């Protein structure tokens, strides 16, 4: 399925050269989109194992055909409330290039909408201000039916260097110590 | 093109292996310069590299290796003596060849740079320059030998000893007729006739034969032919035929030439070269058998010993045959039909086996859940098979650590020379096996630690002598298995760590405060902190204070640990403990709340019920009195969920874990039992995660996390002491109120 999309996307790109395809999804009731070329696979939410001592933007890890794949709570990562998993929740799997190869990461989203073809004319650079999302997370803004959708810069949102800092972590001992007293 | 590439890859691998062998051989020659087999292998290495380089048209390599080969050929033929100097030059030549090979492989189209060719010329000059004088020396030596050899030839005879039985005459034997017949084969030099057991007077029976005859006999005949002369007498006579000394050399040569294709029995080897006849061996074997029957407790004497005792063969021959036998065994072992397999393919296989283990666990789960009794047997036998497949697959990647160890011989030698210290490296436990991936990653830390031992540890010869130690320093590398881990020890007999200096430096660097009261062990561990070096003057080898922290980090990245122990004036021992494999372990599954965790089984000491009535539990200071032993503990659920869960009405268990000498307890809600754990990396996102080292996929498809026992134990201990301090604080504030 994902392969099909990718192939189509590739051909369309080749023929029309400029129209890009984007997957749109909902996160905390807002629409976001990523280039379809970044998307590897979309799966239903499965059993997620919580990883202790991690910040809230790490939702946990899942078993994807025998591989352990981290799942990022996109809502928390974009500084919204943590996602409440519902029937429509999905995991969008994307591949991030790193020095040692590619790392598969899942993004937990509230709902996957559709695949849109957006001509480059409708894509505008990100505004310097005016959004409550870190500007480096925004690759561009796309106008679809007079509504703006944020195109996410996947490499920034899922920057491994940043994710692995796990720095939101208010560590335990102090916590426990406080609770203990 | 791709075929050529493939061929080039093979060439580079082959060259690398040959050069490694060559280095080993050269180092071996330093201690044992007359070993012809080693010299041969040196020659072969150069010869093969020359041949393959010629195939690819790498003329610079051919030109250089040709010279080295010629020199080695001279050595092989005994026309040149191999000495320490030549070995040094050859070692350099080996390095140079490696450089040439690398150059040819990376930039095949550019001519070799001037510096490389200059080195080539210099080395060739060194290799060949002293050749004439060396040949002369060798020639002088050999002429001396041949002069001296003249004396030996006088007793260069077969020694035949005939001890006739009493009944010989009655059976119609005529000892003289044998001797007459013997004369047709060669020249009888001397005959001694003895009658040692001739009784006196009336006791003598004139019909008995009391004769014992010793014959010195010169002949080119083989032992078999000579024995055939006495064939008819065999029943009435003990015949011993000892070959002449000159024959021994021939036998030795023949022994050496025997094919290495299979391991032969000692007797067979000696028969093959003609030093023994089948009768001799059979006789000795009977003797051996009889011995072992009569004396049960005493182990049967080795055949070689019996043969020498019976005077049918000389000691040197037996020694040589035994040596040859051992060599053949080793050679066969090392040649034992290796197949070169792409590491990626092996990795894939191991991944698949991992999947198989998980599927098999899933199957067992279903069989159990549905209580399928008839499927139970099948599942059980399948499980056993999967287990052995797992073990075998993991063994495929196991390699002996000896190869890694022996690489350090060269380093110790070179660094020792550079530092002007005489240092001997002792290696033991080289046959200890561990995963190839671990071996690759342990090389750098080991290199660093050994360099440290050489540079900082071992003192200069003068200092050593002044301290009453032998001038030669020793570094020992040892490896052994211990409870699912491999332990590697690097021990030197140097000055030991200067704890005062380390402490002073650490205080100066702000690593510790001056008023901290540290134990000796804690002080030693400070050397693993970044930026600490006690060496006042940095050398180009070590002493810049970069490294020990990297060593520790590298080892911990392999889920291992490193400990240091030192006695001032006597030396330092560094102990590294590493897991055997990075792929699959035996795990112990525990649960807290809904979460399940795996503890490596090798680290689990015992499980006890967390029962306040049976053992004293100090909830505030977080320790438990377990049979009189104070054990810090950690409530996994609380620790991981970051809050304290009311645990009063739960039945909890305490899992006692140990890492090295340290023990701690983890309090959990459930014990799920043993679990085959296929370790899956958690990925880069969790690089900085503490307390968890990896994940595994359970039979039901869920993911369970593997605990980092070492990290958690440390947290438990810290936790204990921090809660202790807190306790004091609360007490104090209470008093104030």
């Amino acid at each position: 399925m994902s392969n099909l999309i990718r192939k189509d996307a590739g051909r369309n790109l080749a023929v029309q050269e400029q129209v890009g395809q984007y997957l749109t999804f909902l996160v905390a009731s807002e629409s976001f989109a990523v280039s379809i070329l970044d998307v590897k696979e979309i799966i239903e939410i499965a059993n997620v194992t919580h990883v202790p001592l991690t910040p809230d933007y790490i939702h946990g890890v899942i078993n994807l055909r025998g591989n352990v794949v981290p799942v990022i709570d996109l809502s928390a990562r974009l500084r919204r409330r943590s996602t409440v998993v519902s029937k429509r929740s999905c995991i969008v799997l994307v591949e991030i290039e790193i020095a040692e190869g590619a790392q598969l990461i899942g993004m937990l989203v509230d709902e996957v909408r559709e695949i849109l073809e957006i001509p480059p004319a409708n894509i505008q650079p990100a505004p310097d201000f005016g959004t409550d999302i870190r500007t480096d997370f925004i690759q561009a803004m796309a106008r679809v039916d007079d509504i703006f959708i944020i195109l996410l810069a996947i490499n920034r949102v899922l920057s491994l260097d940043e994710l692995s800092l796990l720095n939101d972590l208010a560590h335990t001992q102090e916590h426990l110590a406080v609770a203990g007293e | 093109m791709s075929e050529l590439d493939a061929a080039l890859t093979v060439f580079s691998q082959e060259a690398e292996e040959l050069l490694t062998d060559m280095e080993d051989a050269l180092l071996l020659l330093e201690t044992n310069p007359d070993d012809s087999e080693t010299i041969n292998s040196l020659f072969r290495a150069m010869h093969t590299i020359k041949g393959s380089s010629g195939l690819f048209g790498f003329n610079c390599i051919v030109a250089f290796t040709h010279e080295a080969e010629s020199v080695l050929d001279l050595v092989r033929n005994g026309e040149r003596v191999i000495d320490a100097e030549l070995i040094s030059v050859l070692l350099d030549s080996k390095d140079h060849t490696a450089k040439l090979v690398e150059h040819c492989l990376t930039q095949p189209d550019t001519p070799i740079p001037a510096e490389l060719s200059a080195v080539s010329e210099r080395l060739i000059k060194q290799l060949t320059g002293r050749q004439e004088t060396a040949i002369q020396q060798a020639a002088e030596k050999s002429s001396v030998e041949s002069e001296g050899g003249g004396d030996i030839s006088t007793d260069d005879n077969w020694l035949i000893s005939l001890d006739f039985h009493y009944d010989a005459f009655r059976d119609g034997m005529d000892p003289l007729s044998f001797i007459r017949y013997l004369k047709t084969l060669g020249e009888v030099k001397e005959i001694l006739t003895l009658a040692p057991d001739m009784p006196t007077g009336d006791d003598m029976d004139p019909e008995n034969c009391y004769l014992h005859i010793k014959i010195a006999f010169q002949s080119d005949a083989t032992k078999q032919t000579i024995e055939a002369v006495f064939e008819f007498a065999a029943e009435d006579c003990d015949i011993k035929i000892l070959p002449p000394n000159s024959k021994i050399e021939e036998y030795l040569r023949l022994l050496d030439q025997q094919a290495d294709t299979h391991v032969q029995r000692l007797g067979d080897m000696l028969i093959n070269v003609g030093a023994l006849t089948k009768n001799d061996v059979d006789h000795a074997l009977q003797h051996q058998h009889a011995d072992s029957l009569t004396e049960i407790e005493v182990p049967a004497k080795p055949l070689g010993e019996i043969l020498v005792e019976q005077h049918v063969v000389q000691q040197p021959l037996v020694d040589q045959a035994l040596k040859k036998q051992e060599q053949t065994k080793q050679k066969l072992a090392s040649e034992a039909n290796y197949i070169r397999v792409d590491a990626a393919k092996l990795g894939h296989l191991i991944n698949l086996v991992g999947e198989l283990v998980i599927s098999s666990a899933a199957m067992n789960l279903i069989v159990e859940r549905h209580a399928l009794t008839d499927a139970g047997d099948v599942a059980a036998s399948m499980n056993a098979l999967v287990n052995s497949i797992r073990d075998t697959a993991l063994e495929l990647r196991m390699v002996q650590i000896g190869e890694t160890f022996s690489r350090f011989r060269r380093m110790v030698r070179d660094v020792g020379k550079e530092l002007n210290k005489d240092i001997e490296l002792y290696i033991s436990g080289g046959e200890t096996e561990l995963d190839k991936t671990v071996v690759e990653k342990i090389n750098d830390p080991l290199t660093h630690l050994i360099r440290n031992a050489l540079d900082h540890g071992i003192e200069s010869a003068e200092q050593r002598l002044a301290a009453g130690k032998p001038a030669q320093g020793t570094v020992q590398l040892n490896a052994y298995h211990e409870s699912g881990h491999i332990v590697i020890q690097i021990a030197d007999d140097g000055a030991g760590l200067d704890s005062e200096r380390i402490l002073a430096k650490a205080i100066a660097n702000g690593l510790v405060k001056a008023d901290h009261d540290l134990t000796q062990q804690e002080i030693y561990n400070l050397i693993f902190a970044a930026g600490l070096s006690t060496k006042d003057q940095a050398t180009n080898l070590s002493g810049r204070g970069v490294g020990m922290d990297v060593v520790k980090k590298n080892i911990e990245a392999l889920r291992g640990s490193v400990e240091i122990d030192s006695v001032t004036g006597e030396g330092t021992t560094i102990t590294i403990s590493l897991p055997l494999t990075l792929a699959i372990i035996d795990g112990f599954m525990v649960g807290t709340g809904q979460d399940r965790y795996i503890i490596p089984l090798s680290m689990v000491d015992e499980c006890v019920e967390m029962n306040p009535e049976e053992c004293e539990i100090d909830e505030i200071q977080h320790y438990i009195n377990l049979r009189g032993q104070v054990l810090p503990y950690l409530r996994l659920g609380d620790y991981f969920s970051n809050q304290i869960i009311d645990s009063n009405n739960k039945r909890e268990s305490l899992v006692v874990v140990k890492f090295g000498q340290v023990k701690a307890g983890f309090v959990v809600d459930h014990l799920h039992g043993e679990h085959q754990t296929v370790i899956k990396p958690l990925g880069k996102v969790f690089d900085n995660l503490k307390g968890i080292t990896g994940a595994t996929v359970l039979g039901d498809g869920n993911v369970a996390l593997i605990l980092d026992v070492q990290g958690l134990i440390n947290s438990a201990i810290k936790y204990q002491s921090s809660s202790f301090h807190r306790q004091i604080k609360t007490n104090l504030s209470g008093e104030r109120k």
Side-chain angles (χ1 to χ4, degrees), chain B residues 573-597:
Chain B
T573 303
I574 294 169
T575 309
I576 301 171
S577 168
L578 291 168
L580 285 184
T581 167
L582 300 178
I584 304 179
I585 55 167
D586 279 319
F588 186 76
M589 187 153 63
V590 297
T592 69
Q594 295 301 306
D595 301 325
R596 281 174 292 183
Y597 301 101

Side-chain angles (χ1 to χ4, degrees), chain A residues 47 49-54 58 61-63 66 68 70 98 103 160 164-166 170-172 175-177 181, chain B residues 355 597 638-640 642-644 680-686 688-690 692 695 697 701-703 705 719 726:
Chain A
N47 283 335
T49 302
H50 174 68
V51 181
L53 311 181
T54 50
I58 292 189
V61 288
I62 53 163
N63 164 23
V68 176
I98 51 171
Q103 161 89 49
L160 286 176
S164 66
L165 282 180
L166 306 178
H171 199 257
T172 52
H175 251 247
L176 271 178
E181 283 168 42
Chain B
E355 298 303 310
Y597 301 101
D638 296 0
Y639 183 76
F640 282 153
N642 240 336
Q643 51 187 307
I644 289 187
K680 302 275 181 186
L682 268 176
K684 226 175 145 357
V685 173
F686 299 105
N688 297 319
L689 184 61
K690 299 267 188 298
I692 305 283
V697 178
N702 282 338
V703 177
L705 300 170
Y719 195 32
R726 250 194 343 266

